[in-house]
Amino acid sequence: MHSSNLFVALAALAPAVLAQAVSPCQKVNEQQTAALKKLDPESVNPYNLQFLAFFDAETAYQCITSIPINNTEVAAMVEVDKKFLALYSTIPFLKNPPKSYQQPSIDVMGRLDEIAEKAKRGNYSNFNQFELDLVAINRGVYDTHFGIVNGPTGLISYSLPYGLVSASVDGKELPQVYAHSDIIDKVSNPSYIFEIEGENVFTYLQKYAATNSVTGMLDPHADWNQLMYSEATQFGSWGADNKNSMALGGIQTTSIYNGKSLKGKFSNGTQFEWKYVASSAALFISSNITSGEDLFTVFGLATKEQQEQEEALKKRALANQTTATPQYVPYSSYPKNPIVIQANFTRGGVVSGYLLSDNSTGVLSLPSFSSRDDYNEAPEEYSVAVTEFISQARKAGTKKIVIDLSGNGGGNVMLGYDVFRQFFPKKNPDALSRSRATPLFDILGRVVEKSGKLIDGTPETEFLLQLQSDFSNAGDLNPNNTLTSDGKHWGSWKDFAGPLKINGDNFTKPWKYDFSLPGNYAPFQTYNISGYGTNEATFDEAFSPDDIIILYDGYCGSTCSIFSNLMKNVGGVKSVAVGGIPQNGPMQGVAGTRGSQVRQHDSMAQYAELIRSGLLDSKNGSREALRSELGVSLSEIEDIPSTNQAPWKVSMALNVSTGNLDVPYQFVYEAANCRLFYTVDMIRDVTVLWEAAAKVAGGDTSACVTGSVDGPGSERNKPLVESPGFSYSDVWKNANSTRLLAVNNTSGGDDSDSSASRMTMTASVVVISLLTTWLL
Ligand SMILES: *[C@@H]1O[C@H](CO)[C@@H](O)[C@H](O)[C@H]1NC(C)=O
Ligand SMILES: *[C@@H]1O[C@H](CO)[C@@H](O)[C@H](O)[C@H]1NC(C)=O
Ligand SMILES: *[C@@H]1O[C@H](CO)[C@@H](O)[C@H](O)[C@H]1NC(C)=O
Ligand SMILES: *[C@@H]1O[C@H](CO)[C@@H](O)[C@H](O)[C@H]1NC(C)=O
Ligand SMILES: *[C@@H]1O[C@H](CO)[C@@H](O)[C@H](O)[C@H]1NC(C)=O
Ligand SMILES: *[C@@H]1O[C@H](CO)[C@@H](O)[C@H](O)[C@H]1NC(C)=O
Ligand SMILES: *[C@@H]1O[C@H](CO)[C@@H](O)[C@H](O)[C@H]1NC(C)=O
Ligand SMILES: *[C@@H]1O[C@H](CO)[C@@H](O)[C@H](O)[C@H]1NC(C)=O
Ligand SMILES: *[C@@H]1O[C@H](CO)[C@@H](O)[C@H](O)[C@H]1NC(C)=O
Ligand SMILES: *[C@@H]1O[C@H](CO)[C@@H](O)[C@H](O)[C@H]1NC(C)=O
Ligand SMILES: *[C@@H]1O[C@H](CO)[C@@H](O)[C@H](O)[C@H]1NC(C)=O
Ligand SMILES: *[C@@H]1O[C@H](CO)[C@@H](O)[C@H](O)[C@H]1NC(C)=O
């Protein structure tokens, strides 16, 4: 949605006059109810209704901080979480990252211990304080696959009437920060923002990124872009469900309270004060929320009932939008004449394609790899739209192809493979991952391996069959799904799980998925992924890799990272990154997460619980016999964390990574081949950006930011594992300076023959694209 729409909605907010004795949550309830009454349900997407029903920000904060905490319970909870979180494969590297990593290190386990200690000392006086400590860990991991928060704090959003953008006047001068509305409304000679809250705008934004973001990006330039309003990010995040107005993005919306208003000064000396207003995914009235206790009871536990409510709402919103589905991206910077759009566009469809410059440039806009999960044909429709685009562009004699991945936080991993194979039907998407071998991981895998051998003849057959079936799609927890790096089957669980010692820690051998299994090449009921089974392409390469360019805004992660790695290292395609902190020099394009398989806390907990409860239940002593046949002791089984120990559920996703290098992909440095600054024109009209990217595909790097051409790690199969010559603090310190940072272009790779070594891959078909507090 537009900042101007929000502004109108703000004007409609009637400050309710309330008696003092009323609790803040009761006040929120009343204000939200009053605001809802003023909205016309016929003109608003039902999914967005409550996001437009604004109430007072400070009252909302008082409500959220009135949620009580039981320090004993949260301390116990943290201990349970630690066992699952240990499966997060980058834990040891986050504590001790290589110099190529561009963010500060973090000791995740140490931080959780501190939180548990603090709770044991009774030092949290409300639940929000505790959650903010967890959010700080989330952010500090700089990985969109990591998320340990799913509590009530994320229920409240605080929004400003305006967002920010940063743009250069001509593409060469360093960008300045502007109010988005000044740019989009074409205000002549807009003044840039000079100061926020009494600090230089760059100092303030660095601090904001480090303290107010919910998730971070692995490159500070990408962190910067995340503070800005971006239509691609908006559309990519919500377009797939047609709920596009609910998140405003960047600094405009936060779930971490940042005061009643944001004050600042423009370069012309004019001061501004933008007021925050609050809104909530929770309908306080229908859930009868009148106190902090209520809020926790209803929303502190991520109950099934609540998820069902969300799903019902989504379905209703979709049902109501059937005829209103636009035939173009519903944001003002996008052209209204795509040559191809995905079926059910904006109600599950996000793919659009364009021809520019008398058909010489083709643009494939992929702001997400998500497809509606409630609709079987959605992945096929995504794939078909890409096929249709390639076919039309070939017919029109298109020379250059821009694949715009701006805002693409990931999605369905098999669609990443599919699109790669559509561009390179004959190239193998070979990709390796590595998992962290913790005691929990080892015991689950050992039991499952042995269970296969015991199925006949034991009285426990039913339980064993259950194990077999539950673990058949458990990704790396069942080595029958995977192969060794040279394509062989594993000899045993031990052969797979080792452990191998790397960076002082235990890991599995590198593994890859077995693409000869139908479960992997035919993950959808309706079609096989391109290039597999019966779905063969009729050409070798749709376009020469030299004529394709990938465009990034840094948000790319998860499936987008997998796709990018295949395009770059297997396909040989170059890339452009746009935006970043105002300064010359390179930027990385893939900075969301480079992890592969996501382990959702819920599914891990189910696997663990199945084995735990199955082997603890000792009717007739038969479980004891089974335990001994499976080769596990009672104490090992008792040590498996029980989800019942946790007072509430957390949404937590873990990634295993990465190639057979000893450094996970997440931590190497890989600059895009060119970096562009956003110009004012590009923000108003995305085709200006697309044309600029297409020029780079033509070999013309004249528009690239000084010092950004073929930067460190940009070469195919040569990511940098040493310092690129600068670090997190150098980059922020030099914001708004034209001084070029020293660039270290030495390649860190030594086994450049193996493209597979830098690949990541994903097991689960549905990979969450981003983890935000909206998940509740
Ligand atoms: C906190 O939780 C513990 C463990 O569930 C329980 O024994 C205790 O009574 C709770 N304290 C309060 C004040 O509710
Ligand atoms: C509780 O936290 C405050 C600051 O957050 C600190 O000053 C105080 O020492 C802590 N108290 C205990 C008992 O740990
Ligand atoms: C200063 O610039 C801001 C932002 O462009 C604008 O809104 C404001 O009207 C300007 N003030 C004056 C006095 O021109
Ligand atoms: C950025 O640097 C330029 C040139 O030194 C200066 O004119 C401008 O005011 C600076 N911007 C901010 C926000 O400090
Ligand atoms: C809210 O309260 C009303 C009246 O007390 C009751 O009928 C309704 O079931 C409650 N709703 C929920 C979700 O608890
Ligand atoms: C469409 O929205 C209206 C208003 O929110 C609602 O009453 C109606 O039930 C919705 N339609 C469907 C098919 O759910
Ligand atoms: C759109 O989605 C619905 C299911 O939600 C499906 O029935 C329909 O065939 C899809 N395709 C088109 C082109 O509308
Ligand atoms: C561009 O391609 C379209 C579709 O193939 C065609 O109709 C149109 O005439 C072409 N335009 C130019 C200028 O070649
Ligand atoms: C793995 O495959 C082998 C050979 O087909 C089979 O015997 C075994 O039961 C399978 N193991 C599991 C856990 O599915
Ligand atoms: C690695 O595994 C070995 C057993 O194979 C164990 O003794 C050691 O403590 C583990 N190291 C870590 C860091 O977990
Ligand atoms: C996928 O390919 C296999 C052949 O390998 C074929 O038997 C199957 O019918 C195909 N599935 C679909 C949905 O086209
Ligand atoms: C550049 O990389 C080399 C190794 O490739 C490393 O030894 C050196 O310290 C790096 N230099 C800087 C300035 O970071």
Side-chain angles (χ1 to χ4, degrees), residues 496-532:
F496 163 73
L500 293 183
K501 210 163 214 94
I502 301 168
N503 198 15
D505 215 291
N506 295 330
F507 290 87
T508 66
K509 288 182 185 155
W511 52 264
K512 62 181 177 190
Y513 273 90
D514 182 353
F515 263 100
S516 72
L517 297 174
N520 291 333
Y521 73 74
F524 311 117
Q525 282 114 320
T526 53
Y527 83 113
N528 292 327
I529 63 176
S530 296
Y532 290 96

Side-chain angles (χ1 to χ4, degrees), residues 9-69:
L10 290 196
L13 165 63
V17 184
L18 297 156
Q20 279 189 335
V22 176
S23 82
C25 290
Q26 173 66 26
K27 286 185 198 171
V28 168
N29 187 326
E30 288 166 13
Q31 290 182 24
Q32 189 190 41
T33 308
L36 273 168
K37 283 202 184 118
K38 291 206 159 64
L39 290 169
D40 172 14
E42 295 308 312
S43 66
V44 180
N45 180 336
Y47 203 91
N48 292 326
L49 216 50
Q50 65 245 48
F51 295 96
L52 298 172
F54 295 111
F55 42 88
D56 179 64
E58 200 186 12
T59 310
Y61 180 62
Q62 287 164 357
C63 167
I64 214 82
T65 49
S66 72
I67 298 175
I69 189 166

Side-chain angles (χ1 to χ4, degrees), residues 339 355 359 362 388-398 401 543:
I339 56 158
L355 292 178
N359 294 349
E388 183 64 17
F389 167 76
I390 291 175
S391 151
Q392 289 214 29
R394 281 159 72 90
K395 239 183 259 159
T398 301
I401 298 293
F543 298 93

Side-chain angles (χ1 to χ4, degrees), residues 141-370:
V141 169
Y142 298 102
D143 183 331
T144 53
H145 274 179
F146 188 97
I148 45 172
V149 182
N150 191 3
T153 295
L155 278 180
I156 306 283
S157 299
Y158 307 94
S159 301
L160 294 168
Y162 303 102
L164 304 180
V165 292
S166 71
S168 160
V169 284
D170 58 1
K172 282 294 177 193
E173 283 226 1
L174 292 182
Q176 296 292 336
V177 177
Y178 297 92
H180 176 229
S181 55
D182 272 3
I183 302 302
I184 214 81
D185 297 344
K186 307 205 169 132
V187 167
S188 65
N189 281 323
S191 293
Y192 57 81
I193 292 171
F194 187 75
E195 231 176 63
I196 301 182
E197 295 294 327
E199 288 180 294
N200 179 278
V201 63
F202 303 107
T203 312
Y204 183 82
L205 290 179
Q206 174 178 8
K207 218 164 65 185
Y208 189 95
T211 57
N212 267 67
S213 300
V214 173
T215 53
M217 302 281 114
L218 62 85
D219 188 293
H221 291 300
D223 260 346
W224 171 273
N225 281 356
Q226 281 303 296
L227 298 174
M228 306 296 153
Y229 182 89
S230 151
E231 296 195 336
T233 307
Q234 297 298 297
F235 186 54
S237 302
W238 308 116
D241 287 326
N242 190 20
K243 41 179 174 162
N244 53 22
S245 67
M246 65 183 257
L248 292 165
I251 199 172
Q252 197 174 356
T253 300
T254 176
S255 58
I256 300 178
Y257 185 63
N258 194 36
K260 286 195 260 189
S261 67
L262 197 70
K263 296 191 200 69
K265 200 194 269 176
F266 290 108
S267 55
N268 62 3
T270 300
Q271 315 233 1
F272 64 84
E273 178 173 5
W274 295 340
K275 279 200 158 38
Y276 281 101
V277 287
S279 62
S280 179
L283 277 176
F284 279 50
I285 186 140
S286 48
S287 303
N288 294 339
I289 307 291
T290 61
S291 67
E293 284 89 339
D294 290 348
L295 202 54
F296 188 78
T297 309
V298 180
F299 294 105
L301 304 154
T303 59
K304 201 160 155 261
E305 187 186 310
Q306 189 191 321
Q307 279 170 11
E308 280 165 3
Q309 273 176 24
E310 282 262 317
E311 281 304 306
L313 192 57
K314 185 165 134 186
K315 285 216 168 84
R316 210 172 66 222
L318 287 166
N320 257 344
Q321 298 283 314
T322 310
T323 51
T325 297
Q327 301 302 304
Y328 49 82
V329 176
Y331 286 88
S332 68
S333 72
Y334 282 79
K336 305 269 182 291
N337 58 342
I339 56 158
V340 167
I341 56 166
Q342 186 179 341
N344 285 309
F345 197 60
T346 77
R347 329 176 40 242
V350 285
V351 179
S352 58
Y354 308 83
L355 292 178
L356 310 177
S357 309
D358 291 337
N359 294 349
S360 68
T361 301
V363 179
L364 179 61
S365 166
L366 303 177
S368 168
F369 281 105
S370 291

Side-chain angles (χ1 to χ4, degrees), residues 611-628:
I611 290 183
R612 184 189 147 84
S613 57
L615 293 180
L616 282 183
D617 165 19
S618 63
K619 8 173 171 119
N620 310 329
S622 63
R623 292 299 195 231
E624 205 180 323
L626 184 58
R627 283 197 295 270
S628 100

Side-chain angles (χ1 to χ4, degrees), residues 572-595:
V573 172
K574 292 194 176 181
S575 66
V576 166
V578 61
I581 298 169
Q583 77 186 222
N584 292 320
M587 170 175 161
Q588 303 187 86
V590 183
T593 175
R594 298 182 186 151

